[in-house]
């Protein structure tokens, strides 16, 4: 994997890089580290799997660098490492995975790195579907939600203008395959990727792109409980 470390403080860069190198050796992870003290020098087109970014840097700050990185690498796992907690809300805009205070680097960096590796591997998972006897691998991260139309499943994708795939399969079978990957069956006809839930209200669920679906009236409380549990385990937080 490729790991980016960017901080205008050279000592911070060296500390983080050394700790990551040690952890990679302990876990037998093959990794290439890119270390920078000037965010303007970072090539965002270089494939990056995990990025550790300071926020308060002269010139281009970490938020801007993260936005530039996210534009071309939507699956990069971004962790902000900084002294300034007031910037935390801006991390939500770039889908930051975690927010780590520099004072906690020695005790929490390794933990956050391990979690970031798990997140990266999850983003690389695919589900295989068959269309006209041809097997097609679809990255889990690219699926917005699945819709049942009789015996046909319509898979709605996040990218490519919300493109769709149509194939024969039962929704019950798809639910069993994808429940452990962060999908929630909100009613008989819909199986949604919880990563893209923006609003979960009593009688409506809004997904990325403004798509609104109606959850099961009978199971609303249980659905909300499952979503909040997943969100607590997966959404980024200030630590």
């Amino acid at each position: 994997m490729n790991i980016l470390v960017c901080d205008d403080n050279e000592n911070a860069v060296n500390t983080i890089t050394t700790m990551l190198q040690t952890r990679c050796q302990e876990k037998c992870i093959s990794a290439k580290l890119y270390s920078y003290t000037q965010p303007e020098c970072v090539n965002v087109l270089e494939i990056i799997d995990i990025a550790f970014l300071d926020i308060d840097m002269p010139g281009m700050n970490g938020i801007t660098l993260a936005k530039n990185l996210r534009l071309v690498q939507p699956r990069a796992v971004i962790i902000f490492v900084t002294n300034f907690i007031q910037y935390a809300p801006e991390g939500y805009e770039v889908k930051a995975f975690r927010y780590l205070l520099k004072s906690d680097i020695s005790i929490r960096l390794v933990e956050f790195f391990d979690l970031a590796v798990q997140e990266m591997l999850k983003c690389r998972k695919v589900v295989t579907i068959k269309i006209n006897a041809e097997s097609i691998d679809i990255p889990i991260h690219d699926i917005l939600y699945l819709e049942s139309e009789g015996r046909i499943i319509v898979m709605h994708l996040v990218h490519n203008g919300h493109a769709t795939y149509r194939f024969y399969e039962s929704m019950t079978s798809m639910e069993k395959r994808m429940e452990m990957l962060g999908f929630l069956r909100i009613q008989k006809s819909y199986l949604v990727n919880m990563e893209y839930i923006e609003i979960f209200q009593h009688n409506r669920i809004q997904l990325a792109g403004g798509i609104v679906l109606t959850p099961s009236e009978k199971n609303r409380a249980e659905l909300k409980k499952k979503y909040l549990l997943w969100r607590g385990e997966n959404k980024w937080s200030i630590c």
Side-chain angles (χ1 to χ4, degrees), residues 11 19 47 84 176 207 234-235:
N11 289 332
M19 291 181 68
I47 295 176
F84 301 96
K176 289 179 180 178
L207 305 179
N234 291 274
K235 290 294 183 178

Side-chain angles (χ1 to χ4, degrees), residues 8-171:
D8 62 313
N9 185 307
E10 187 172 357
N11 289 332
V13 170
N14 292 337
T15 297
I16 294 171
T17 300
T18 299
M19 291 181 68
L20 293 176
Q21 288 174 333
T22 300
R23 188 57 173 170
C24 286
Q25 291 173 358
E26 292 173 348
K27 302 290 287 186
C28 297
I29 295 173
S30 177
K32 182 174 182 180
L33 280 90
Y34 298 86
S35 301
Y36 295 90
T37 55
Q38 296 179 317
E40 295 86 356
C41 296
V42 175
N43 179 10
V44 295
L45 297 179
E46 189 79 51
I47 295 176
I48 298 297
D49 297 299
I50 301 173
F52 291 84
L53 308 178
D54 186 18
I55 291 182
D56 191 33
M57 295 184 285
M60 180 189 297
N61 63 29
I63 297 293
T64 300
L65 175 57
K67 288 180 179 178
N68 293 341
L69 182 64
R70 184 65 76 211
L71 283 175
V72 293
Q73 303 196 57
R75 297 182 193 175
V77 181
I78 297 174
I79 296 175
F80 285 121
V81 187
T82 181
N83 287 316
F84 301 96
I85 200 168
Q86 64 266 32
Y87 291 114
E90 297 185 61
Y92 184 80
E93 298 179 18
V94 293
K95 298 181 180 179
F97 179 65
R98 288 291 188 275
Y99 189 101
L100 175 63
L101 293 176
K102 287 189 175 181
S103 58
D104 293 335
I105 285 178
S106 62
I107 57 176
R108 306 217 65 176
L109 179 67
V110 170
E111 173 194 349
F112 280 17
F113 174 64
D114 289 349
L115 291 171
V117 171
Q118 293 177 25
E119 179 70 10
M120 183 200 70
L121 293 176
K122 184 176 72 173
C123 289
R124 289 182 176 180
K125 288 182 179 178
V126 300
V127 60
T128 302
I129 62 175
K130 284 192 175 182
I131 300 179
N132 298 325
E134 179 184 357
S135 295
I136 302 175
D137 291 335
I138 311 296
I140 294 298
H141 191 72
D142 289 349
I143 303 172
L144 184 61
Y145 71 102
L146 289 86
E147 180 180 7
S148 174
E149 293 183 353
R151 296 176 58 196
I152 295 176
I153 297 292
V154 182
M155 179 182 286
H156 299 263
L157 304 184
V158 178
H159 308 294
N160 300 322
H162 298 298
T164 61
Y165 284 110
R166 302 173 71 89
F167 55 97
Y168 287 98
E169 184 65 88
S170 73
M171 184 62 86

